[in-house]
Amino acid sequence: MAWKCRSLNANWVPVKLVSSADFTTRLTYVLYSQLTVRYATGNSFPAEIGSWTIFTPTTDDWVELGGGIYKLLLPASAFPGTELYQGVYYVQRTSGSPLSLGFDGSWECHAPHAVNAINLIKLQTEKLLFDGDNFVKSVQQGAVDILQAGADKVWQTTERTLTGFDTLVVSIWSYVARKLTSRNIAEGEDIAREQTITGNLAAGILQNLVTVSSIAEQKIKRGDVKSFTFNLGTQWNLTDKKPYFCVKVSPTDPNASAKVNRVCTITDPVNGVCTITLTAEETAVIGSYSAEIEVRDADDTNPRTALQFTLTIQQDVRQ
């Protein structure tokens, strides 16, 4: 089979494998590891074809197309890139059953590397722009000139408030109505300075902006009487509030089946500190539970989750 390659990506060559037993049956599912492959190249065919080169293909070099037809990826060394060269290749199934007849193929290539180089040069030269005298324009320099002209126009115009760079910073800080954040900034003050928030975050529109905190897993032993102190912080002012401590097997369980669901004792309302003591009955069953502190108004309305964590009741030693 004669084959002409026309580009650098044409290293693939066709192969047809026929059984050597009946000279008719096309062989399918032939593996690359069952092949014997060799090739030879030269500047003219067949007189100057060189000696055979043994090639051991890999799985990436061998593709079955169907009906006993395959394609084989020969190595780059088979295509030296001279102005005119030809080659032959031989493929045979020499292991497995049944064996195949030898398949002979040949190819010829005409300066593929040179053609490819020409195409690359053409691709780049087509990007060039020419002026009326057929001189090449510098697109990059033209863009720089345009940008510089625009900058010059901005600074040269008389209809501007900031008239010079040397007074630009002073003019910004001298502007009375400046507010780069939510408050006025004094000259020389750090813009990133922490802003102290006053007021009760548990009321008004800010109440839904408070982030729910999470703490590490809390572990207690089965049947222990355990006290917890929760420091929710000043953002959770507990004045006239009810902080509920709720423990469930699953967060989706109804409140009626909760292991614990009662109001904590508030010890420092302004700083959001509350406590609760679990009874032996409440810690009697070993397991891992979902726990949270939910803050409600005094009339049990407006629920807000302040804290979530995992509560684990472990096996004790003394029963």
Side-chain angles (χ1 to χ4, degrees):
M1 174 180 289
W3 175 74
K4 293 185 178 181
C5 67
R6 299 186 181 277
S7 73
L8 287 177
N9 297 321
N11 297 36
W12 290 95
V13 296
V15 175
K16 181 173 72 173
L17 295 181
V18 177
S19 172
S20 60
D22 58 12
F23 308 102
T24 302
T25 303
R26 296 188 179 188
L27 302 185
T28 57
Y29 305 109
V30 177
L31 303 177
Y32 70 93
S33 57
Q34 300 173 329
L35 303 175
T36 294
V37 180
R38 58 179 182 264
Y39 66 88
T41 61
N43 289 332
S44 63
F45 180 80
E48 296 183 15
I49 286 292
S51 60
W52 288 103
T53 298
I54 301 299
F55 172 55
T56 303
T58 67
T59 183
D60 294 331
D61 304 322
W62 183 247
V63 177
E64 183 170 4
L65 302 177
I69 304 299
Y70 301 81
K71 66 177 182 177
L72 172 68
L73 180 63
L74 290 176
S77 57
F79 303 88
T82 55
E83 292 185 359
L84 172 63
Y85 68 96
Q86 300 183 5
V88 293
Y89 61 99
Y90 175 87
V91 181
Q92 184 179 13
R93 183 185 191 182
T94 53
S95 66
S97 179
L99 302 180
S100 74
L101 296 173
F103 179 83
D104 296 299
S106 64
W107 74 83
E108 66 177 47
C109 290
H110 297 273
H113 290 265
V115 171
N116 187 69
I118 293 173
N119 288 335
L120 291 176
I121 295 173
K122 181 175 181 293
L123 179 64
Q124 297 302 319
T125 55
E126 287 178 343
K127 299 178 181 179
L128 299 176
L129 298 176
F130 297 88
D131 59 19
D133 297 324
N134 286 329
F135 289 106
V136 177
K137 292 183 178 180
S138 173
V139 178
Q140 291 81 1
Q141 184 58 49
V144 170
D145 293 342
I146 292 173
L147 291 175
Q148 184 60 54
D152 292 343
K153 182 65 175 177
V154 171
W155 285 106
Q156 291 171 5
T157 181
T158 57
E159 297 180 3
R160 66 180 187 277
T161 303
L162 305 176
T163 58
F165 181 77
D166 57 334
T167 60
L168 176 60
V169 176
V170 175
S171 298
I172 291 176
W173 283 108
S174 299
Y175 185 62
V176 177
R178 67 183 183 279
K179 281 193 176 183
L180 298 183
T181 64
S182 60
R183 59 187 175 84
N184 291 330
I185 303 172
E187 185 172 353
E189 182 183 348
D190 186 357
I191 297 176
R193 181 178 67 81
E194 180 180 356
Q195 175 75 10
T196 301
I197 301 177
T198 59
N200 183 5
L201 294 181
I205 62 173
L206 292 179
Q207 63 185 10
N208 294 324
L209 301 181
V210 178
T211 302
V212 176
S213 300
S214 296
I215 62 175
E217 176 186 11
Q218 301 297 303
K219 299 179 180 179
I220 59 177
K221 297 301 182 181
R222 183 190 66 84
D224 283 2
V225 176
K226 176 69 174 180
S227 295
F228 288 97
T229 297
F230 301 106
N231 189 345
L232 305 179
T234 55
Q235 69 269 30
W236 290 99
N237 191 318
L238 298 179
T239 302
D240 297 326
K241 303 296 179 184
K242 286 184 177 180
Y244 281 87
F245 180 57
C246 187
V247 178
K248 296 181 179 181
V249 175
S250 171
T252 59
D253 290 345
N255 290 338
S257 62
K259 302 293 293 183
V260 182
N261 186 22
R262 43 193 186 89
V263 179
C264 299
T265 299
I266 300 173
T267 58
D268 186 350
V270 175
N271 291 307
V273 181
C274 59
T275 64
I276 191 170
T277 300
L278 301 184
T279 66
E281 290 77 13
E282 291 171 330
T283 63
V285 180
I286 296 171
S288 181
Y289 302 91
S290 296
E292 75 173 19
I293 295 292
E294 181 185 82
V295 178
R296 289 175 175 257
D297 291 343
D299 59 356
D300 275 322
T301 60
N302 197 20
R304 300 172 303 283
T305 301
L307 186 68
Q308 290 183 330
F309 61 94
T310 298
L311 177 65
T312 300
I313 300 177
Q314 301 174 325
Q315 177 65 56
D316 57 344
V317 176
R318 187 173 184 276
Q319 308 300 315

